[in-house]
Amino acid sequence: MASPLRFNSLLPVSHIYAKYESIMPKLIVESIGTFDVPENKRLVLALTDEAKIDQLHSCGGFAKCTTCRVQFVSGEPKKTTEAEKAVLEARGLIGTPGLRLSCQIQCDHDMEVRVISRLAGSGRKDAGKTPEPQITPPPVWISE
């Protein structure tokens, strides 16, 4: 986590704001654009809120389905949740390079993803219930 901001009364406000902006992770969405994301925001929410993508999340972000899956181009997190690993194993997707569940990932560093599961063309009536701000179920982290 980034260190807290320290304010120096000799610095102009614009300098302080620029410092704050520089700690926001960059999310690059292939063929869409680059977006600043609040640190530790769930990737599924960054895709819908910042990138304005119709990302599917049918189970509401509880790692019960795989509709929120993305393919990492770069910056894939080294850790995963037990819930993500379990659902990917159950669906036979655990060995697919870069394939991850966006509902189980925090934006805590720069990353580039390919969106592969969108509402458009899915035949579904909506993308799913909006996921909670925090990762659900409460994450138990494991390192790959």
Side-chain angles (χ1 to χ4, degrees):
M1 183 175 280
S3 61
L5 294 176
R6 298 189 197 288
F7 293 98
N8 180 336
S9 62
L10 300 176
L11 293 175
V13 173
S14 61
H15 179 75
I16 294 168
Y17 182 72
K19 181 177 179 182
Y20 175 74
E21 275 192 329
S22 69
I23 64 171
M24 293 179 78
K26 299 268 186 231
L27 172 61
I28 301 169
V29 182
E30 188 178 74
S31 301
I32 304 292
T34 301
F35 308 90
D36 288 325
V37 178
E39 189 171 19
N40 293 320
K41 186 168 190 168
R42 289 176 85 174
L43 178 56
V44 66
L45 294 173
L47 290 168
T48 59
D49 297 347
E50 277 72 31
K52 307 293 185 213
I53 291 175
D54 58 339
Q55 176 69 45
L56 286 173
H57 42 75
S58 294
C59 73
F62 285 90
K64 300 273 185 207
C65 68
T66 59
T67 61
C68 71
R69 66 193 177 280
V70 295
Q71 188 85 39
F72 272 85
V73 175
S74 66
E76 181 178 355
K78 301 289 185 220
K79 63 183 183 177
T80 187
T81 65
E82 285 182 354
E84 178 184 17
K85 184 176 180 184
V87 75
L88 289 175
E89 282 179 343
R91 302 284 173 103
L93 300 171
I94 196 70
T96 307
L99 187 72
R100 300 290 298 272
L101 300 182
S102 65
C103 74
Q104 297 295 294
I105 295 171
Q106 291 177 303
C107 294
D108 58 4
H109 65 281
D110 294 351
M111 54 185 72
E112 182 176 358
V113 297
R114 179 177 305 122
V115 178
I116 56 176
S117 188
R118 298 178 71 168
L119 177 60
S122 71
R124 297 173 184 265
K125 64 179 177 138
D126 61 38
K129 180 183 178 235
T130 302
E132 299 292 324
Q134 71 283 351
I135 291 179
T136 51
V140 175
W141 297 106
I142 54 177
S143 295
E144 292 295 314

